[in-house]
Amino acid sequence: MRPTFFQQVNPGIRDLTPYQPGKPIEVLQRELGLKNVTKLASNENPLGCSTKTLAAAEEALKEAFRYPDGSGYALKQALSKHYAIAPESITLGNGSDNILSLLMQTFSQEGDEVVLSQYAFASYVIFAKGFNRKPIVVPAVDYGHDLQAMAKAVTQKTKLIYIANPNNPTGTWNTHRALKDFLDAVPPHIIIVVDEAYFEFVQDPQYPDTLALQSSYPNLVTTRTFSKAYGMAGLRVGYAFSSPEIADYINRVRLPFNVSRIAQAAAVAAIQDQDHVQRTIELNQRGMQQLTDFFHEIGIEYIPSTCNFLTISLGENAQAIYDALLQEGVIVRPLSANDMPQHLRISIGTSEENQHFMKAIKKVLSL
Ligand SMILES: *Cc1c(COP(=O)(O)O)cnc(C)c1O
């Protein structure tokens, strides 16, 4: 007999499919007995984190027996200085995922609607369902967010709107102008969350300045992370910029020690080492060129991306190609969980890692 506690599982959680992370290198090595494995599956920084960041983390490790500073004073000061924004406007999270979830918990109730785009970052739907909110998925245009349609999807029950800019897994983005028009079209009581996890990789001058927009739109929240350009995905640090009032409310439900002492110290050093971020961006630009040239050459379609990944279109065989790439020691990301079963997402690696991938896919496709 099924234990009776099954009946009390939160209905939103009962039929939830968990987030599918990229396959870890160790797992593939164990499964296939391979030594040379390249992981291009989780948009991690191929350079790793900077040596200064590592040194700060090692130093902080000595104090690992002490609780972290729950207020995150030093890290908020460092972010405040770097971005010229008041510390009261900053919230720290265990990754930006943590803050995306806290916002939903704080600003909506059971049955409320949360508007998001088709093909948007998969966590938004998971959070919504887990909290028994209703995700309203607005059809994408050219794989990107259709902000006008998203504004039209707002009802009396809408409490939050999530915009991934740029979006993962499509690499698409919306301009400052488009975002401003959207903010004007949406009632000011609705919380607009702009997830800028790939902020550092975008070079286009038309990319929104959401920090500047916050003075006119106090319902706007920006989230960013140390996981991608800073190469600290394993340390788990993200942050949000918002009005101090929003920060104050999220802070009431935030777990007091959500960012570890090691992670806080590492992040302070990371923000002060912009050279590393610059090297990362340059490496990414070269890798993007290398891979887009390659896809042109072999005739594979991709969605133009401003991020550190490319999503390619492979038709019905995408899953089979993913499996065959694993046999070659290359881990990429299948996207069926994002409603894109015919695509694969390739994170941009070092030149050698990209070459491993290119060689492997040529072999798999018999080119
Ligand atoms: C990676 C990613 C995040 C979350 O990253 P954290 O590691 O939790 O900071 C958030 N949004 C998007 C779109 C991402 O790709």
Side-chain angles (χ1 to χ4, degrees), residues 41 217 275 336 356:
Y217 303 92
D275 286 351
S336 27
H356 187 184

Side-chain angles (χ1 to χ4, degrees), residues 164-180:
N165 201 37
N167 183 44
N168 166 18
T170 59
T172 52
W173 61 286
N174 298 91
T175 63
H176 190 88
R177 181 77 248 166
L179 183 65
K180 192 166 183 308

Side-chain angles (χ1 to χ4, degrees), residues 71-343:
S71 75
Y73 178 82
L75 180 52
K76 283 186 186 171
Q77 287 296 321
L79 286 165
S80 165
K81 196 164 158 229
H82 184 69
Y83 288 109
I85 191 160
E88 303 76 55
S89 290
I90 302 173
T91 305
L92 303 179
N94 191 266
S96 55
D97 262 4
N98 180 205
I99 301 174
L100 296 167
S101 163
L102 287 170
L103 283 160
M104 198 165 317
Q105 191 183 357
T106 307
F107 289 100
S108 61
Q109 298 180 34
E110 189 166 340
D112 283 342
E113 292 177 0
V114 178
V115 171
L116 49 102
S117 174
Q118 181 187 23
Y119 310 132
F121 185 50
S123 294
Y124 309 154
V125 169
I126 297 178
F127 298 144
K129 288 187 179 166
F131 290 124
N132 291 308
R133 317 306 195 232
K134 194 171 170 211
I136 304 295
V137 182
V138 177
V141 271
D142 294 334
Y143 295 105
H145 289 41
D146 182 346
L147 293 184
Q148 286 180 356
M150 287 173 76
K152 288 198 188 104
V154 167
T155 73
Q156 295 286 335
K157 286 190 169 166
T158 308
K159 297 295 160 63
L160 299 110
I161 303 177
Y162 282 75
I163 298 169
N165 201 37
N167 183 44
N168 166 18
T170 59
T172 52
W173 61 286
N174 298 91
T175 63
H176 190 88
R177 181 77 248 166
L179 183 65
K180 192 166 183 308
D181 289 346
F182 172 81
L183 290 163
D184 285 329
V186 172
H189 68 271
I190 295 174
I191 303 284
I192 314 292
V193 184
V194 180
D195 174 351
E196 297 184 348
Y198 300 91
F199 162 79
E200 294 84 358
F201 293 105
V202 190
Q203 307 291 318
D204 197 302
Q206 292 189 65
Y207 182 69
D209 183 347
T210 50
L211 302 195
L213 287 169
Q214 282 180 13
S215 49
S216 319
Y217 303 92
N219 56 329
L220 176 62
V221 182
T222 305
T223 63
R224 290 184 192 161
T225 181
F226 284 94
S227 297
K228 308 282 160 61
Y230 288 89
M232 292 168 50
L235 280 165
R236 314 302 305 131
V237 200
Y239 51 100
F241 296 126
S242 68
S243 66
E245 292 77 15
I246 289 179
D248 175 44
Y249 282 115
I250 319 174
N251 205 38
R252 299 180 195 198
V253 281
R254 181 181 64 82
L255 294 179
F257 305 117
N258 63 335
V259 185
S260 79
R261 169 178 286 281
I262 325 296
Q264 288 187 37
V268 170
I271 203 89
Q272 290 163 354
D273 189 0
Q274 290 300 313
D275 286 351
H276 184 72
V277 177
Q278 204 48 46
R279 279 194 295 276
T280 301
I281 293 167
E282 283 161 19
L283 178 75
N284 189 63
Q285 284 168 339
R286 289 197 296 276
M288 179 67 84
Q289 193 66 51
Q290 186 184 14
L291 286 180
T292 50
D293 285 351
F294 172 73
F295 291 133
H296 278 294
E297 182 193 316
I298 65 168
I300 287 182
E301 266 180 57
Y302 59 86
I303 306 172
S305 162
T306 45
C307 300
N308 61 346
F309 58 82
L310 269 170
T311 289
I312 60 175
S313 174
L314 294 166
E316 316 251 289
N317 294 329
Q319 183 65 37
I321 294 169
Y322 166 76
D323 291 330
L325 285 171
L326 289 181
Q327 299 293 326
E328 299 301 317
V330 177
I331 312 172
V332 298
R333 189 66 155 267
L335 296 174
S336 27
N338 299 72
D339 192 24
M340 298 174 74
Q342 308 208 340
H343 289 78

